[in-house]
Amino acid sequence: MPDTTLTIRADAPIGRISPRLYGHFAEHLGRCCYDGLWIGADSIGIPQQHGFRTDVLEALRALPVPMLRWPGGCYADHYHWRDGIGPAAERPVRLGMSCGLQVEDDNSLGTDEFLRFCAAIGAEPYLAGNVGSGTPQELCDWLEYCNTAVATTLGRLRAANGTPKPYGVKLWGVGNENWGCGGHFDAASYAIEYRRYATMLRHVDPTAELVACGFDDDWNVELLGTVGKHLNFVDHLSIHHYWTHGGAEIEFTEAEYYALLTEAAETERFVQRTAAIVKDATGGKQRIGIALDEWGVWHPEAREWGPGDVSRRKPTTYEQAGTLRDALAAAIAIEGFHRQCHVLTLANLAQVVNVLQAPVMTDGARMWLTPTYHALWLHAPHLGATALPVEVAHGSTLPDGTSAVTATASRTGDGVAITLINRHFDQPASVRLICAGAPERANGQVLAADSPRAGNSAWRDELPPHALATVVIRRS
Ligand code: AHR
């Protein structure tokens, strides 16, 4: 007798799962952009296309990556977009600064390279603007360079740099973490600055979707209150959530395993609380979406300058090992994204290559896919589908009394897609699924290992997903 029964409520759709909920994040930090994505068109020994690693490009295209945020993160509030356009040899070399790192940054990966990369992998670009050390005019100019169809000097410059047709970038962040690395504003001062930026940006391109920098509940209430009668300038409110209480990246204890999964589950509560604040501020209209534009696991091995930890250890590259536990945590968060898809408008896993919870890692000419990559890939059928509630009954439980097995489901063009998670540290589970109108057969894939500490590396691939035998569905 199965120990858990899951009922898919096909009669009570929640909403559309926007592909933007499966967005990623590429920052000029550590080896994410330089080395991970971009190796330059002159590099030899590693296959590349127009300067981007071919193996990484193909892995991301296959994932898929529907949306990609760039160039930061904290880097965004130091970034001056004009440094990264035109002939590479003429671009200035700057201090590349983010999260306490300072590197030589030759700006060889700039706006045109990034936007062409997005087109190559099928990702919608999301550009994060500079408020901390920039001006409204500089950000307006970037927007004009990318999007104007008029033959202005900036429009002609874009054409001269190889792209006559406007890129049509829709998503624009007005700063990043401006409560911290983006200028240590207080909420009211940032709100006033935001209004100024947003007013000017809307004049340049009224169709741009603007993302305001949120933070915790108090900041968000004050920010929206101060933006006041101009709330129509805010399309999305950004929040970040990193999970930091899981102990060591690989040698974690059972208690730390569960602590990390609990933190991942709390992400949904943060989204719900923020949505409630938006609802209050907008008089119940809820027109502003929640943009969880940085999320994921931040292990101590990758933590020099990060949430909840200001200790100064040896300089870090912000790289960490990924295990099956991280993949489970990501899947738990995604269950929440689907349940909140009526208020959560976008989300970006941090980061896409080589930094934090990266789905793809590289070392020299080698590239490997982390368990998180495979977990995301298993969710691909849900993109653009209609989220359906899942009721859980008689589940075997975890130490905190919650069900060991949970699931997310959606109605796709091809039928119903279901992703199940067994959260238990070391116990198997059996499941009975109830789904009205289910077909007679189904196909499935499973991502599993002998231990949640299992992971992939440049030298071993312990965790590819395996196809399940065709499942025959019983009618009773
Ligand atoms: O993702 C790493 C850093 O975390 C980002 O630069 C910043 O926005 C956040 O603090």
Side-chain angles (χ1 to χ4, degrees):
M1 181 66 187
D3 62 15
T4 305
T5 299
L6 300 169
T7 306
I8 317 291
R9 294 284 313 280
D11 57 325
I14 303 168
R16 178 172 181 265
I17 300 169
S18 166
R20 285 178 171 179
L21 300 191
Y22 285 84
H24 289 261
F25 172 34
E27 178 168 18
H28 288 231
L29 174 65
R31 296 190 306 118
C32 181
C33 285
Y34 290 117
D35 208 37
L37 295 177
W38 173 260
I39 49 176
D42 299 332
S43 86
I44 42 174
I46 302 176
Q48 48 85 16
Q49 291 173 29
H50 307 291
F52 290 95
R53 284 182 73 124
T54 305
D55 52 1
V56 174
L57 188 151
E58 284 173 355
L60 296 180
R61 189 192 279 145
L63 186 49
V65 174
M67 187 261 284
L68 188 58
R69 178 176 182 245
W70 177 84
C74 295
Y75 181 87
D77 283 284
H78 282 293
Y79 184 63
H80 300 286
W81 69 273
R82 280 189 172 83
D83 291 346
I85 56 164
E90 290 168 24
R91 297 186 191 181
V93 177
R94 303 277 187 213
L95 271 180
M97 289 178 280
S98 179
C99 303
L101 296 186
Q102 289 193 344
V103 295
E104 199 180 288
D105 186 338
D106 69 2
N107 281 294
S108 50
L109 168 52
T111 301
D112 294 298
E113 290 81 16
F114 173 74
L115 294 176
R116 284 179 206 137
F117 178 70
C118 284
I121 62 169
E124 174 185 18
Y126 167 12
L127 297 179
N130 180 346
V131 170
S133 65
T135 62
Q137 187 59 57
E138 184 184 12
L139 192 47
C140 284
D141 287 351
W142 199 13
L143 178 59
E144 183 182 328
Y145 178 84
C146 291
N147 287 0
T148 189
V150 183
T152 61
T153 300
L154 287 170
R156 287 183 200 171
L157 188 57
R158 185 191 64 233
N161 288 336
T163 310
K165 223 173 129 232
Y167 287 112
V169 179
K170 282 270 168 281
L171 288 166
W172 291 83
V174 181
N176 170 76
E177 293 193 355
N178 300 94
W179 46 266
C181 65
H184 286 108
F185 285 81
D186 57 52
S189 318
Y190 171 75
I192 292 163
E193 201 63 9
Y194 179 85
R195 275 201 317 235
R196 180 163 168 242
Y197 270 77
T199 307
M200 301 307 148
L201 290 165
R202 280 276 163 79
H203 293 162
V204 178
D205 182 354
T207 70
E209 292 177 43
L210 304 181
V211 185
C213 170
F215 180 34
D216 57 16
D217 297 355
D218 290 346
W219 168 286
N220 295 338
V221 168
E222 192 169 355
L223 165 66
L224 297 178
T226 310
V227 172
K229 63 180 196 294
H230 297 291
L231 277 177
N232 61 317
F233 287 163
V234 184
D235 295 299
H236 309 266
L237 177 65
S238 150
I239 52 173
H240 294 171
H241 200 223
Y242 287 105
W243 315 320
T244 58
H245 296 110
E249 57 188 3
I250 299 174
E251 296 306 325
F252 48 85
T253 63
E254 185 173 337
E256 288 166 339
Y257 165 88
Y258 284 121
L260 187 80
L261 300 197
T262 300
E263 254 189 302
E266 278 161 8
T267 309
E268 179 177 11
R269 252 91 67 198
F270 188 22
V271 171
Q272 285 174 304
R273 278 204 321 275
T274 311
I277 289 169
V278 164
K279 194 169 178 191
D280 267 6
T282 53
K285 293 205 188 81
Q286 199 79 58
R287 201 199 52 79
I288 300 169
I290 311 301
L292 180 65
D293 54 12
E294 290 183 30
W295 67 272
V297 181
W298 195 324
H299 289 307
E301 290 80 353
R303 205 183 305 152
E304 155 81 358
W305 180 32
D309 189 314
V310 288
S311 65
R312 286 282 178 253
R313 284 189 289 271
K314 62 181 176 4
T316 177
T317 53
Y318 294 95
E319 291 177 31
Q320 63 192 27
T323 63
L324 180 58
R325 175 179 69 154
D326 299 333
L328 292 168
I332 287 170
I334 288 170
E335 280 187 0
F337 296 177
H338 290 184
R339 279 190 292 265
Q340 303 308 320
C341 68
H342 53 302
V343 289
L344 183 68
T345 41
L346 62 93
N348 300 75
L349 177 63
Q351 299 192 3
V352 73
V353 191
N354 289 338
V355 166
L356 300 178
Q357 196 175 353
V360 174
M361 297 289 292
T362 66
D363 184 5
R366 291 178 181 272
M367 184 209 77
W368 67 99
L369 308 177
T370 66
T372 295
Y373 180 99
H374 295 308
L376 294 171
W377 182 80
L378 288 173
H379 285 80
H382 297 296
L383 271 75
T386 303
L388 303 173
V390 180
E391 288 169 0
V392 184
H394 310 300
S396 63
T397 56
L398 303 179
D400 69 357
T402 58
S403 177
V405 178
T406 56
T408 188
S410 66
R411 191 186 303 115
T412 76
D414 295 328
V416 174
I418 306 165
T419 310
L420 298 113
I421 311 172
N422 177 7
R423 306 174 183 213
H424 205 284
F425 184 70
D426 55 11
Q427 294 301 309
S430 56
V431 175
R432 177 173 176 241
L433 270 174
I434 300 176
C435 181
E440 287 177 0
R441 282 167 192 278
N443 297 309
Q445 303 269 332
V446 66
L447 182 69
D450 290 341
S451 160
R453 299 188 184 97
N456 299 333
S457 73
W459 308 105
R460 65 197 156 91
D461 192 4
E462 286 182 36
L463 272 169
H466 295 290
L468 285 173
T470 301
V471 181
V472 179
I473 295 175
R474 270 212 313 259
R475 291 280 152 205
S476 61

